[in-house]
Amino acid sequence: MMDGIRGWFGFGPAAQGFGGHGHDHGEGGHGHTHGVVDPTIATTTRGIWAIKWSFVLLALTAVLQLVIVFLSGSVALLADTIHNVGDAVTAIPLWIAFMLARRKPSKTFTYGLGRVEDLAGIIIVLIILFSAIVAGYEAIDRLIHPQAISFLGGVAAAGLVGFLGNEAVAVFRIRVGREINSAALIADGYHARTDGFTSLAVVLGAAGVWLGFPLADPIIGLLITVAILAIVWQSSKAVLTRMLDGVEPGIVEEIHHAAEHVRGIQRVAQVRARWIGHRLHADIAIKVAETASAKDVVGIAEALRGELFDHLPALSEANIRLEGEGGSVAGGSAHADHAPEPFKVVSDLATGTLEIVDTPAGERLRLTIDSHADDLGATVIIDRSEGPETLSLGPVAGNHHRRESSVAPAEPHEFEARLILTSKGKQQVLPFKMVEPEGHQH
């Protein structure tokens, strides 16, 4: 039972498996936030873990403050308590969003359900707005109909509790939000940080009443309402930018920077990027020499794709095409023409995608990693009628997000196999099956 409780709060193996390699370069690296992104169980579990703890901390804070509200009658503390209750409730739409992000793409939702995270952000903004309206109404009513408050020491203590609780939640949400590049979670973290300072205003209100100025309490309540409305404005801008396919300017700059490392690219003609949940999708048009052969073009596209994944760990798909041509040079996943559907890797040691891809050297079995433990080893054993086929997946030079076989998997590309992951004496075996698309069977 205790193991189940610990797992619910994120202290199980899944929460600890990535401690050695989060791929978060921070804001001092390329001038923007990097993160580990992929709507698999690993990323969503990390987000849900943050949401659960945020809910618990804010709920405890609100309960403690609510007790003092009933004892004292402080409207400033009531406004702060209402807001903290609203903060705790915001965990519900975020939790639903992260749960839906686990679902695989379908024929209807070909990009998956990452957009529900943006919808959750809008719901959060509306919840915050409602709390502002309630707090403002109570403060104005108290200004019109003044009432004495008591238990001033308890009010001040409750304000301090509100500050400490919100700051703890802010640090937690912002850190995890940056790790998984979740705009909704980061916005909610900054919102919690501002709430901490509004909680300190409750202490000032109690001090004003103690000094003989009873209207200090409802005035502080109104100021808290104004602060909440400012949070509504800031959060709505961040979430609406994502919903309208807006990206941070630094992302476009980083794509151009990545292209500078690739020989053969004469210029980057066009860059388009957008977020789908916390996954980044990019479309890049490049100009190469007219004398470049088809093989050269494929090699340039692969090199650029490797640089993009290295510079932008948040990147999920990169469609690279020649300037002026309608078709892409190589798709985002570089699938072989008759490659089976990729296998989603979900384990304590690593998460990512295992697939058969076309490379300049021929077909290869590639593991694209989103998160992994230190010293990760990867081997695929394919069950063949003539005996097992073993393919070791080694690191790709210049790209720590990939493990790739040195030879092509044997035909046919329809088989049952096992992916064996190892790290520091720990081993996990993940059975999987690959099936070629209809019409391509050998």
Side-chain angles (χ1 to χ4, degrees):
M1 180 177 180
M2 287 302 297
D3 289 340
I5 295 174
R6 291 176 70 252
W8 193 89
F9 282 107
F11 288 119
Q16 299 170 352
F18 310 114
H21 208 76
H23 297 321
D24 189 356
H25 300 284
E27 300 202 15
H30 302 297
H32 67 276
T33 301
H34 292 272
V36 181
V37 289
D38 188 48
T40 62
I41 189 173
T43 296
T44 55
T45 297
R46 182 68 168 158
I48 293 171
W49 181 56
I51 293 168
K52 288 175 181 177
W53 272 109
S54 298
F55 174 81
V56 170
L57 288 171
L58 288 174
L60 288 174
T61 300
V63 168
L64 291 172
Q65 289 185 315
L66 192 61
V67 172
I68 306 300
V69 167
F70 283 116
L71 293 175
S72 66
S74 169
V75 72
L77 184 57
L78 174 63
D80 195 44
T81 303
I82 289 173
H83 195 200
N84 284 328
V85 170
D87 292 345
V89 173
T90 60
I92 297 174
L94 273 177
W95 178 79
I96 294 173
F98 280 117
M99 290 294 292
L100 289 175
R102 291 183 176 188
R103 298 190 176 184
K104 296 181 180 180
S106 65
K107 292 182 179 179
T108 302
F109 300 101
T110 56
Y111 283 94
L113 294 175
R115 289 288 190 188
V116 295
E117 190 177 326
D118 299 327
L119 179 60
I122 292 295
I123 295 173
I124 288 170
V125 169
L126 293 177
I127 291 173
I128 301 170
L129 178 61
F130 176 76
S131 68
I133 294 172
V134 173
Y137 172 82
E138 293 294 335
I140 292 172
D141 181 70
R142 188 60 61 86
L143 281 172
I144 298 173
H145 306 99
Q147 296 181 22
I149 67 172
S150 57
F151 204 45
L152 292 177
V155 173
L160 289 174
V161 168
F163 169 75
L164 294 175
N166 277 288
E167 181 60 20
V169 169
V171 170
F172 195 53
R173 284 180 174 175
I174 293 171
R175 186 186 67 185
V176 177
R178 284 175 174 168
E179 288 177 2
I180 64 174
N181 235 324
S182 168
L185 196 54
I186 292 173
D188 220 33
Y190 281 113
H191 156 223
R193 173 158 290 165
T194 306
D195 291 348
F197 291 106
T198 59
S199 293
L200 287 180
V202 174
V203 180
L204 294 178
V209 174
W210 181 72
L211 292 173
F213 185 52
L215 290 181
D217 186 67
I219 290 174
I220 291 296
L222 279 177
L223 292 176
I224 292 175
T225 301
V226 173
I228 298 173
L229 291 173
I231 293 166
V232 171
W233 172 251
Q234 293 173 351
S235 298
S236 62
K237 284 198 302 181
V239 175
L240 286 173
T241 296
R242 287 285 180 96
M243 290 193 72
L244 296 175
D245 285 342
V247 297
E248 301 81 350
I251 289 177
V252 176
E253 295 172 4
E254 196 69 11
I255 291 174
H256 282 276
H257 177 65
E260 293 174 0
H261 292 277
V262 180
R263 289 185 178 183
I265 297 179
Q266 295 183 339
R267 70 185 181 93
V268 177
Q270 186 182 61
V271 173
R272 291 179 179 175
R274 64 175 177 173
W275 291 99
I276 299 180
H278 40 262
R279 302 182 72 189
L280 183 64
H281 292 244
D283 188 303
I284 303 104
I286 59 174
K287 173 69 175 177
V288 301
E290 294 182 0
T291 57
S293 65
K295 184 176 180 180
D296 292 336
V297 172
V298 172
I300 291 170
E302 276 296 302
L304 176 57
R305 184 172 293 105
E307 289 289 342
L308 289 171
F309 278 101
D310 190 45
H311 284 72
L312 294 165
L315 187 64
S316 173
E317 299 287 344
N319 180 39
I320 302 171
R321 54 189 173 84
L322 289 180
E323 181 185 18
E325 294 192 7
S328 63
V329 174
S333 299
H335 283 283
D337 291 338
H338 59 282
E341 286 296 314
F343 168 61
K344 287 291 185 182
V345 178
V346 179
S347 90
D348 297 345
L349 298 182
T351 62
T353 303
L354 182 66
E355 57 192 330
I356 298 174
V357 299
D358 277 328
T359 74
E363 291 181 342
R364 294 292 184 266
L365 193 61
R366 175 184 294 169
L367 173 62
T368 302
I369 302 169
D370 299 312
S371 297
H372 65 81
D374 288 336
D375 302 324
L376 181 71
T379 303
V380 171
I381 300 178
I382 301 173
D383 295 326
R384 303 283 189 187
S385 57
E386 64 275 15
E389 176 187 4
T390 302
L391 296 173
S392 296
L393 307 184
V396 177
N399 190 338
H400 55 267
H401 293 281
R402 288 184 182 174
R403 300 287 189 276
E404 198 169 274
S405 64
S406 58
V407 297
E411 297 282 3
H413 293 338
E414 182 167 307
F415 49 75
E416 293 185 357
R418 289 153 286 157
L419 172 62
I420 302 175
L421 302 173
T422 59
S423 174
K424 295 182 177 179
K426 186 175 181 181
Q427 175 178 294
Q428 289 189 338
V429 179
L430 304 179
F432 67 96
K433 183 177 182 179
M434 285 195 169
V435 179
E436 291 184 340
E438 185 176 354
H440 287 290
Q441 282 84 359
H442 293 262

